[in-house]
Amino acid sequence: MSSRLKDVAALAGVSTRTVSNVVSGSASVAEGTRARVQAALDELGYRPNVAARNLRAGRTGLIGLAIPELYSPYFGELASLIVHAARDRSWTVVIDQTFGDPEAERRLLEGDGGRLVDGLIISPWALGPEELTDRSRDVPVVLLGERQPRGLADRVAVDNVLAAEEATAHLLASGRRRIAAIGPQPHLRNETARQRLEGYRRALRGAGLEPDPALEQPVTTLHRGDGAAAMAALLDAGARPDAVFAFTDELALGALHVAHERGLGVPGELAVVGFDGIEDGQYANPPLTTVVPDKRQIAERALQCLADRIYSPASSVAPLDIVVPHRLDVRASSGQRTG
C-alpha cells in the first residue's frame, strides 16, 4: 500500500502524508491540493481498503446525521450535501429524523439509538443549551444551528439575527412600512425563530419604527400550509401589511399562495421575502427573494470539525463556533413598490 501511496504522491506532486490525509480525511487539506490528489487517485485507480482501515483503528466508517425532518426542502438539501461530501472521506451517513421531539434528540445524544457511529452531526430543535450540555455520549458531536451550549461541541450556524435584519432592511429600503413577520414560535424553544424575530425587530427600530405585535404572526410549524394560514389570519384581522418577511421559504410560498387567492399584486401591493434559499423559490410566481445560507459550506465545515475530532480525539482545541456566510438573493417578489 505504501508504494502505491508513493505513486499517487509523485503524480500529484505532494507528500505521502498529504495523500494519506486526503484518503482518510484526518486533517485539513487545501481544496486545490485535495482535488489534485483525488485526480491522481482516480488516474491510478487507487482504492483504499476502508473497512480494514477502520477496523484497525476501532472505527465503523459510519457517521450519524440527525435532522428534524427530511420533508423540509432545506434539511433535505443540506442532508444531500452532507452525504455527498462524506463520500469524499469514505464515510457512510446514517440519517435520523427527530421531528423536533426532545426525547428523540436526547436518545441520539446519549447514544441510545442502537447504531454504532464514529460521530454525530445534529440539528436540535427541542433541547435547550443546558440539556445539550448534559450528555453521556463519548463520540464527537457537531451541532448545526443556533443552540450554544458552552464547551459542549463544535457548532456550525448562520448569523440569523444579521440575516433577518438585512432581509427586513431590504423591504424598508423599497418603501415598505407595514412589514409582517410570519414565523415566531413562542410555544417552542426554537432559537432560530427567536433570532430571526430579533433581527426583524432590530431593522424596524433602526428605521424609527416600533414593532407592531399585530404584524407578528406565530405559526405551529414552518411549512407552506402554516404560511398560508398565517397570511390569511393577518388579512382577516385587517392588519393589511405591505410586505412580509417569512422565517422560512416554505412559509413565504404559503403566504404567496394566499396573496394570489386574495387578489393582492406581488410585489406591487405586497412584497415577500423568505429565508433558506430552497430551489422551489426560484420557480415561484413571482420568483421569491430569499436569504441564502451557504449550505455547502455548512456541510463541509461540519464534516471537517467531525473529522478533526474523530482522528485527533486527544486534541485540546476548544470547541469551535463557526458562522458561515449568507447572502440576500433579491428576486421579483420584493421589487419596488408601484402603488
Side-chain angles (χ1 to χ4, degrees), residues 3 22 24 27 54 102 113 140 155 176 179 181 197 229 240 254 269 291 338:
S3 61
V22 171
S24 67
N54 286 331
R155 184 181 74 105
R176 315 289 170 159
I179 303 172
L197 182 61
R240 303 300 299 182
E269 296 175 89
V291 175
T338 58

Side-chain angles (χ1 to χ4, degrees), residues 110-123:
E110 292 174 354
D112 294 336
R115 295 187 176 94
L116 298 176
V117 296
D118 298 326
L120 174 67
I121 299 173
I122 181 170
S123 178

Side-chain angles (χ1 to χ4, degrees), residues 27-189:
S28 181
V29 178
E31 284 306 311
T33 303
R34 185 181 297 277
R36 197 163 68 250
V37 171
Q38 188 60 54
L41 288 166
D42 293 341
E43 182 174 336
L44 295 177
Y46 177 83
R47 294 293 180 267
N49 188 331
V50 177
R53 187 182 70 216
N54 286 331
L55 184 62
R56 288 193 300 270
R59 293 189 289 265
T60 66
L62 302 176
I63 63 167
L65 172 62
I67 55 177
E69 53 186 16
L70 278 168
Y71 174 83
S72 160
Y74 172 80
F75 285 113
E77 290 174 15
L78 182 59
S80 178
L81 288 167
I82 289 173
V83 169
H84 182 77
R87 286 176 182 165
D88 293 339
R89 300 177 183 276
S90 299
W91 284 347
T92 298
V93 181
V94 179
I95 301 176
D96 273 291
Q97 296 185 87
T98 65
F99 302 103
D101 176 55
E103 286 306 314
E105 293 179 357
R106 192 174 291 111
R107 284 196 301 271
L108 288 165
L109 283 167
E110 292 174 354
D112 294 336
R115 295 187 176 94
L116 298 176
V117 296
D118 298 326
L120 174 67
I121 299 173
I122 181 170
S123 178
W125 263 10
L127 299 183
E130 68 284 353
E131 295 170 292
L132 290 169
T133 304
D134 183 19
R135 67 182 182 88
S136 57
R137 189 171 195 136
D138 58 0
V139 302
V141 172
V142 176
L143 299 174
L144 302 181
E146 291 62 44
R147 296 293 194 267
Q148 294 180 301
R150 296 177 180 84
L152 165 65
D154 298 323
R155 184 181 74 105
V156 182
V158 174
D159 189 336
N160 279 287
V161 176
L162 178 61
E165 184 178 8
E166 291 172 350
T168 309
H170 164 69
L171 291 168
L172 289 163
S174 69
R176 315 289 170 159
R177 287 299 178 266
R178 290 189 55 76
I179 303 172
I182 292 180
Q185 293 189 294
H187 63 293
L188 295 178
R189 303 180 66 176

Side-chain angles (χ1 to χ4, degrees), residues 253 278-288 331:
L253 292 173
I278 67 173
E279 186 179 11
D280 288 1
Q282 300 176 44
Y283 302 100
N285 182 24
L288 180 66
R331 300 179 183 140

Side-chain angles (χ1 to χ4, degrees), residues 11 32 43 54 76 94 119 145 153 171 185 193 214 273 289 298 300 315 327 335:
L11 181 60
E43 182 174 336
N54 286 331
V94 179
L171 291 168
Q185 293 189 294
V273 172
T289 294
I298 292 173
E300 291 173 351
S315 173
R327 72 178 192 277

